Amino acid sequence: MTATSKSPKSISPVYVERLLGLRDLLKTADSGKPVAAYIIPSEDPHMSEYCPECYKRREAISGFTGSAGIVVVTSDAALLWTDGRYFVQAEAELSPEWTLMAVVRQGCLVWKIGFLAKNLPEGSKVAIDPELHTVNSTRTLQKKLESSMKELVLLGPETKGVQASSHNLVDQVWGSNRPAPPSAALRVHPIGFAGHGVRAKVASLRHQLISHLRDDANAAPSAAAAAAAAAAPIPHLLVSTLDEVAWLTNLRGSDVECSPVFLSYAIVHGRSGGSETKREGESEEDRKARVKREKEMAWTAEEEAKLYEEGESDDDLTVTLYVDLAKVAGAEVQAHLKREGIQVKSLGSITADLSTLAATSGSKSDVVFVDPARASAALLNTLSNKKKDSTRKRAREEDEETAPAPSPSTATAAAPSPPVSSVVKELTSPIVLAKALKNPAELQGMKEAHLRDAVAMAQFLSFLEKEIKGGRVFNEHEIHVELTARRAGQSGFLEPSFPTIAGADSNGAIIHYRAPVEGCASVSSETMLLLDSGAQFDCGTTDITRTMHFGTPSSHQRSCYTRVLQGHIALDRCIFPPGTIGSILDVLARTHLWRAGLNYLHGTGHGVGAALCVHEGPQSISSRLSPTATPLKKGMVVSNEPGYYETGAFGIRIENLITVVEKDTPFKFQNETYLGFEPLTLVPIQLKMVDPNMLSKDEIEWIDQYHATVYDKVASRLPAEDDVAQEWLRRNTRPLAEQLQA
């Protein structure tokens, strides 16, 4: 970790005023007593990577607009931790009052804890809003602080002063300038794109939850404990992350820029007796077959239709959805909710319902599964507190209904301990993996989305090259506008999947650069441009990066570009056994750069949702090792995006989305089918940036084959009358040797 300082520069005085106001609040934050530090993460109560405007608290206090980072404010320091993607951006956006604590190797949480433990006096109190920190991170923070004789204080709703508008300290200094919560209506995600209905998804989840209960009973240390575990046959799953709720309910929204999600929580409900109980008239063989289908979500259309008949006939409640009721008032959404057995309650009701589940656990056999890596400490504390005053609870719920963004309460001012009550069990959300394993309908939708995107990209890039060749000068913001216009011309386009990164020359070295509307760099015949963009279509999500030079690249630029392309090819071509995690493959993308003493400070690949968030887990390809990493599996979608960034000069990144597929190999060691990748992105890679003398025969064959595939699949989708785009596509998909001779 390195700390960097800056020379004085101009900045909006509002950030200085908020910082001073926050420091005043620290003096009395703990029920009138001072706290030494306040931690402000990037996340919202749903642990979102990208948040609605009303939840961008870290940005509101610091002015830093990157998607990742953690802020710590003390009486005499204002600190921002972020990773290598944002070093240059943070330097440009932070005022002199702030210090950038650049994290090079380990995560922000590690360095933040180390700083607090080392630099604060013994007995100091460190405060957080427990709605913005996961159960796991809160426990880690508390343990580390206690080991250095410091105390963690949770400033939840119960700690809010009578005159305060919110328990969150940033909200208090943000005041009336805090944006209102989003209010757009939801839409149904069609079954043709989703692949399975909600009842089918819930049946699979119920099976998995019952299996975990059975495993707990078998592993119980005593007969009494086993009996207690076995006596809890009705499982519930708390779902708190927005993309999981959207996937589960087959609903989409627009509460977050570039992500089709909506502010919500959900509880998946089990059934009495569990999904594995033999049904009336069902043979043991039929029961096993049904359970297998439920577990694998592998119904035929006829079987899924029967599942709906059964569910609707016994009025089966599958899910309770907590959301702004005005968002689900449309007739199509209402019909969808009824068909799928989804009960809807107001967003603030989640607190009362969790409290009720906890309070009645002694008389009913209910178990709530909570993911400690995704649920907030506030949610778990609500479940863990069984003796709440009902009057306070009702009053708090009424407050939440009128607040800018309702959220769960915090039961106590202590970090959540591992659950000791049978009402709460901790489990990695089974939705995470289910969502990552795209079914055939989702994969088909992703392929269709990339074909539409390829047409838009071909139309845009052909237009851009023609205009620049004719002497026109664009600016970076115009690149975004023109590209988005081409995408908007495609059927089913909704919005970009993330803010377009159009980095000209040195701005390309800012990994997550976002060009301002005014005063951004120009793009002309001498520009090297890094263009990272994507789209949300009704059927799928895209993410693509291309780096191009509109003039003559230097030999150094060509060498760096070729090394990045070689890494991209190496990863795309690799074949690997089942059980392989992404960190094992990451070296393939970096080897050619390492040979020249070069590298990049971001992961090589991230998961991508199907008509959902452009970043999703649990899969990834990066150098970060984890003992709990999820192996790459058939049906997953990941990015392949090695790069190189030379600060003050240029940036290079080449990105395709790829899907994990089974590969036909000459042998099958231990009778296993090996895996590999298949590109989803179908856009030419600029070859005048390539040094052909650095390429092997196999690498040249990959380039030529990829471009042949692009032409075969995209040419017929381009309008026949669009001569410019047709000719551009033909010219840029010719074999490498032919392109270099032209």
Side-chain angles (χ1 to χ4, degrees):
M1 176 183 70
T2 58
T4 61
S5 59
K6 305 165 296 302
S7 58
K9 59 183 177 181
S10 61
I11 189 170
S12 171
V14 69
Y15 295 111
V16 177
E17 293 170 4
R18 289 172 184 170
L19 180 60
L20 294 175
L22 180 59
R23 283 176 171 154
D24 282 340
L25 293 176
L26 296 184
K27 299 173 183 177
T28 57
D30 185 19
S31 301
K33 299 178 182 179
V35 296
Y38 190 56
I39 301 173
I40 306 161
S42 302
E43 290 79 7
D44 61 14
H46 309 275
M47 306 305 145
S48 306
E49 178 184 14
Y50 301 104
C51 306
E53 294 296 323
C54 60
Y55 281 136
K56 292 183 177 179
R57 293 172 170 125
R58 189 218 62 223
E59 179 180 334
I61 196 68
S62 70
F64 172 61
T65 61
S67 66
I70 296 176
V71 157
V72 172
V73 174
T74 70
S75 61
D76 59 1
L79 313 169
L80 168 72
W81 282 259
T82 191
D83 61 56
R85 296 172 297 168
Y86 296 107
F87 291 170
V88 179
Q89 179 179 342
E91 281 285 358
E93 292 180 340
L94 293 176
S95 72
E97 290 80 11
W98 289 84
T99 300
L100 172 61
M101 313 293 284
V103 180
V104 179
R105 294 290 181 188
Q106 294 173 282
C108 294
L109 180 63
V110 175
W111 291 113
K112 173 191 68 179
I113 294 174
F115 176 89
L116 294 171
K118 180 180 179 181
N119 291 277
L120 295 180
E122 288 188 6
S124 295
K125 294 182 178 180
V126 177
I128 65 170
D129 179 348
E131 294 176 356
L132 309 181
H133 296 259
T134 66
V135 173
N136 283 348
S137 66
T138 303
R139 288 173 181 161
T140 299
L141 182 58
Q142 181 181 40
K143 181 178 179 180
K144 295 295 185 181
L145 289 175
E146 288 179 350
S147 68
S148 61
M149 305 302 291
K150 287 138 187 109
E151 180 182 350
L152 179 65
V153 177
L154 308 192
L155 301 182
E158 283 78 2
T159 67
K160 185 181 77 171
V162 176
Q163 302 299 322
S165 59
S166 168
H167 67 276
N168 186 281
L169 302 188
V170 175
D171 290 354
Q172 293 182 41
V173 298
W174 207 350
S176 60
N177 291 319
R178 186 186 180 197
S183 57
L186 305 189
R187 58 183 172 85
V188 176
H189 187 54
I191 192 70
F193 299 146
H196 293 297
V198 178
R199 291 187 184 274
K201 294 177 180 180
V202 169
S204 176
L205 293 171
R206 283 171 172 169
H207 170 85
Q208 294 180 59
L209 298 179
I210 287 293
S211 295
H212 283 289
L213 287 177
R214 183 179 63 246
D215 292 343
D216 286 348
N218 294 336
S222 67
I234 306 179
H236 308 272
L237 175 66
L238 173 62
V239 186
S240 59
T241 61
L242 302 184
D243 59 339
E244 289 185 48
V245 175
W247 178 88
L248 170 69
T249 60
N250 284 348
L251 292 170
R252 297 294 188 267
S254 56
D255 286 357
V256 179
E257 181 187 17
C258 303
S259 300
V261 296
F262 50 97
L263 296 178
S264 55
Y265 297 97
I267 296 179
V268 177
H269 300 291
R271 301 183 67 171
S272 178
S275 62
E276 296 191 9
T277 303
K278 184 184 294 186
R279 297 175 181 175
E280 183 177 353
E282 186 178 47
S283 68
E284 179 60 17
E285 182 178 353
D286 289 342
R287 185 196 70 82
K288 289 181 178 179
R290 174 178 57 80
V291 168
K292 186 176 187 296
R293 291 194 303 273
E294 290 176 355
K295 182 178 181 180
E296 298 177 356
M297 212 179 302
W299 295 274
T300 64
E302 293 77 12
E303 289 171 335
E304 190 160 337
K306 183 177 181 181
L307 183 70
Y308 275 76
E309 293 173 3
E310 294 171 350
E312 292 174 341
S313 65
D314 62 10
D315 197 28
D316 179 30
L317 172 63
T318 60
V319 175
T320 298
L321 173 65
Y322 300 87
V323 67
D324 180 348
L325 298 179
K327 295 179 180 179
V328 296
E332 183 181 9
V333 172
Q334 284 290 313
H336 170 76
L337 295 170
K338 181 178 180 180
R339 168 176 164 77
E340 299 289 6
I342 301 174
Q343 172 184 239
V344 180
K345 292 189 176 183
S346 62
L347 187 56
S349 299
I350 184 68
T351 300
D353 281 8
L354 291 178
S355 298
T356 299
L357 278 173
T360 60
S361 61
S363 58
K364 293 199 307 179
S365 297
D366 289 287
V367 170
V368 181
F369 285 94
V370 176
D371 187 337
R374 291 169 177 79
S376 71
L379 286 170
L380 185 60
N381 275 350
T382 299
L383 269 171
S384 300
N385 186 43
K386 297 186 178 182
K387 298 181 179 179
K388 285 181 176 283
D389 182 278
S390 59
T391 302
R392 287 176 59 202
K393 181 174 66 179
R394 286 194 300 273
R396 183 165 55 255
E397 184 179 342
E398 291 171 1
D399 288 342
E400 289 169 341
E401 288 303 308
T402 59
S407 49
S409 66
T410 300
T412 69
S417 301
V420 294
S421 169
S422 61
V423 73
V424 179
K425 292 187 180 294
E426 295 184 6
L427 173 75
T428 297
S429 172
I431 294 177
V432 175
L433 182 58
K435 177 167 57 66
L437 298 175
K438 278 48 175 184
N439 61 52
E442 290 173 320
L443 283 175
Q444 186 57 42
M446 291 290 280
K447 291 177 180 179
E448 173 61 25
H450 281 82
L451 283 169
R452 298 177 191 176
D453 208 48
V455 170
M457 288 293 294
Q459 292 176 328
F460 168 71
L461 291 175
S462 60
F463 157 81
L464 184 64
E465 287 189 8
K466 180 182 178 182
E467 292 294 306
I468 289 178
K469 187 176 181 179
R472 180 174 175 180
V473 177
F474 293 84
N475 65 43
E476 294 166 325
H477 180 67
E478 288 174 328
I479 296 295
H480 158 70
V481 172
E482 293 284 356
L483 174 54
T484 302
R486 302 311 189 281
R487 284 186 165 125
Q490 295 298 306
S491 65
F493 174 79
L494 301 169
E495 60 181 332
S497 57
F498 57 94
T500 298
I501 301 168
D505 296 324
S506 61
N507 287 338
I510 304 174
I511 298 173
H512 276 199
Y513 174 73
R514 187 172 185 179
V517 176
E518 302 292 339
C520 55
S522 62
V523 179
S524 68
S525 59
E526 297 302 320
T527 300
M528 183 169 172
L529 178 69
L530 186 153
L531 181 59
D532 188 350
S533 66
Q536 293 286 2
F537 293 99
D538 54 3
C539 57
T541 304
T542 72
D543 181 3
I544 171 179
T545 307
R546 291 293 182 264
T547 304
M548 59 211 79
H549 203 298
F550 297 103
T552 303
S554 69
S555 59
H556 176 59
Q557 290 172 334
R558 294 177 68 201
S559 173
C560 294
Y561 182 95
T562 304
R563 292 182 186 280
V564 171
L565 178 57
Q566 287 174 307
H568 180 97
I569 294 171
L571 182 59
D572 184 273
R573 296 179 66 240
C574 75
I575 296 177
F576 50 92
T580 300
I581 59 177
S583 58
I584 293 177
L585 304 182
D586 182 79
V587 65
L588 297 173
R590 300 179 190 266
T591 298
H592 291 278
L593 287 165
W594 287 354
R595 287 173 181 165
L598 304 177
N599 204 352
Y600 52 94
L601 295 177
H602 61 72
T604 299
H606 58 82
V608 179
L612 268 175
C613 298
V614 74
H615 293 162
E616 76 167 18
Q619 74 276 21
S620 68
I621 301 173
S622 76
S623 57
R624 182 177 299 177
L625 298 174
S626 170
T628 59
T630 300
L632 296 168
K633 297 176 181 289
K634 177 185 175 182
M636 287 181 169
V637 173
V638 294
S639 64
N640 174 4
E641 51 180 311
Y644 172 67
Y645 312 91
E646 200 160 291
T647 302
F650 61 86
I652 298 167
R653 187 160 62 249
I654 301 171
E655 176 187 16
N656 283 355
L657 294 193
I658 52 181
T659 183
V660 182
V661 297
E662 293 181 342
K663 288 290 186 176
D664 185 17
T665 54
F667 305 98
K668 289 190 176 182
F669 182 70
Q670 293 187 337
N671 202 33
E672 290 183 324
T673 299
Y674 276 48
L675 304 172
F677 298 116
E678 177 182 289
L680 292 172
T681 305
L682 297 168
V683 176
I685 297 167
Q686 191 183 72
L687 296 185
K688 79 171 177 180
M689 288 284 292
V690 170
D691 181 348
N693 297 319
M694 297 173 61
L695 297 174
S696 69
K697 179 181 177 181
D698 286 345
E699 289 166 341
I700 293 173
E701 287 181 355
W702 182 94
I703 292 170
D704 291 346
Q705 184 176 347
Y706 175 72
H707 279 154
T709 300
V710 169
Y711 186 82
D712 288 345
K713 293 187 176 182
V714 178
S716 61
R717 300 286 293 248
L718 280 170
E721 66 274 12
D722 192 344
D723 296 336
V724 174
Q726 288 279 3
E727 172 57 21
W728 179 90
L729 183 67
R730 185 200 65 78
R731 188 173 65 251
N732 285 279
T733 55
R734 291 173 298 168
L736 174 63
E738 187 176 338
Q739 290 198 45
L740 294 177
Q741 291 173 359

